[in-house]
Amino acid sequence: GAVVSQHPSRVICKSGTSVKIECRSLDFQATTMFWYRQFPKKSLMLMATSNEGSKATYEQGVEKDKFLINHASLTLSTLTVTSAHPEDSSFYICSARGKSGAAEAFFGQGTRLTVV
Amino acid sequence: DAKTTQPTSMDCAEGRAANLPCNHSTISGNEYVYWYRQIHSQGPQYIIHGLKNNETNEMASLIITEDRKSSTLILPHATLRDTAVYYCIVRGTIYNQGGKLIFGQGTELSVKP
């Protein structure tokens, strides 16, 4: 399958700082990327959908000013957690999908964020 | 909200076939059935998807009932490395809800020696 690379895989930051997570599609053009978060022993929760060159669409209850998403190119999307707090500690996962209507989405390996 | 119902957990003996069921009784005509799995602390891995016909690839087979209200993922010869949470997801195309994947709780499959 196609390769989606997420970086960093693990990050620890101080409360109040911002953290940027990158998601790259390595061997295909990702017209759409999705960002999820996952708490321990829970399922993935969709946070937002981003299309290249346009503003992200956030799911209900997700603060767009706190979770900034940029999808500047067909191979790169970034998620910035601004002014992080301990409750933002979670596993963040990106997913990328190509152009065709039923194209499957491929996932990055995830980023474990710990805010101390 | 997730549109699928799966058993919470299942066990399977190593080397035997693992049959994972999924109910999606409210599926609409233009929605596909996708299966992903997630091994602990990793991103989900795509397995297979289908619309109406049964599908097979190197990883698994997908059997969709004629009325499309349920499906079964079959891992023909389960190994210990197949231990994971398996998610059955109903999804439209990019023209329908942006093609986003909404995850339910999935089935935790334990393959035992």
Side-chain angles (χ1 to χ4, degrees):
Chain A
V3 179
V4 175
S5 176
Q6 196 172 332
H7 177 80
S9 58
R10 199 175 279 272
V11 59
I12 300 173
C13 72
K14 290 186 177 179
S15 190
T17 62
S18 296
V19 173
K20 181 185 283 188
I21 302 169
E22 291 189 348
C23 180
R24 293 181 186 274
S25 57
L26 298 186
D27 52 1
F28 69 104
Q29 292 187 328
T31 51
T32 306
M33 288 188 172
F34 305 90
W35 286 95
Y36 295 82
R37 68 187 297 182
Q38 185 176 32
F39 292 107
K41 299 192 184 299
K42 298 292 186 182
S43 187
L44 285 78
M45 184 191 80
L46 180 65
M47 300 174 67
T49 302
S50 73
N51 292 295
E52 185 263 340
S54 61
K55 287 185 180 180
T57 302
Y58 290 81
E59 295 297 305
Q60 192 171 12
V62 178
E63 300 175 59
K64 62 180 181 181
D65 294 330
K66 179 157 187 69
F67 300 101
L68 300 179
I69 292 171
N70 183 286
H71 190 165
S73 77
L74 284 171
T75 59
L76 173 64
S77 176
T78 60
L79 167 69
T80 301
V81 183
T82 62
S83 186
H85 289 100
E87 57 265 30
D88 298 323
S89 298
S90 188
F91 192 51
Y92 291 87
I93 309 168
C94 73
S95 171
R97 195 197 65 217
K99 289 182 183 178
S100 75
E104 59 268 33
F106 296 95
F107 287 79
Q109 66 269 43
T111 296
R112 174 77 57 196
L113 170 64
T114 303
V115 184
V116 297
Chain B
D1 291 335
K3 299 180 181 180
T4 62
T5 305
Q6 298 176 253
T8 304
S9 64
M10 290 181 65
D11 289 342
C12 177
E14 188 179 18
R16 305 297 291 268
N19 296 283
L20 292 93
C22 179
N23 285 319
H24 32 80
S25 58
T26 61
I27 192 170
S28 62
N30 59 357
E31 289 181 316
Y32 289 71
V33 179
Y34 286 79
W35 283 84
Y36 285 80
R37 71 181 183 184
Q38 186 178 28
I39 296 169
H40 182 63
S41 293
Q42 296 182 24
Q45 177 189 23
Y46 167 78
I47 302 173
I48 200 167
H49 76 281
L51 181 63
K52 286 191 278 192
N53 300 322
N54 297 336
E55 302 288 343
T56 295
N57 63 20
E58 65 279 3
M59 287 184 70
S61 294
L62 174 60
I63 309 297
I64 302 173
T65 58
E66 195 169 337
D67 63 7
R68 303 213 317 128
K69 293 185 176 182
S70 65
S71 61
T72 301
L73 178 75
I74 301 172
L75 308 178
H77 305 287
T79 71
L80 298 179
R81 286 178 294 181
D82 291 322
T83 293
V85 178
Y86 287 77
Y87 295 99
C88 167
I89 304 168
V90 164
R91 195 201 90 177
T93 67
I94 58 172
Y95 311 110
N96 178 309
Q97 299 182 337
K100 56 188 179 183
L101 292 166
I102 303 298
F103 284 77
Q105 293 309 305
T107 295
E108 188 165 6
L109 175 69
S110 296
V111 180
K112 299 184 183 300

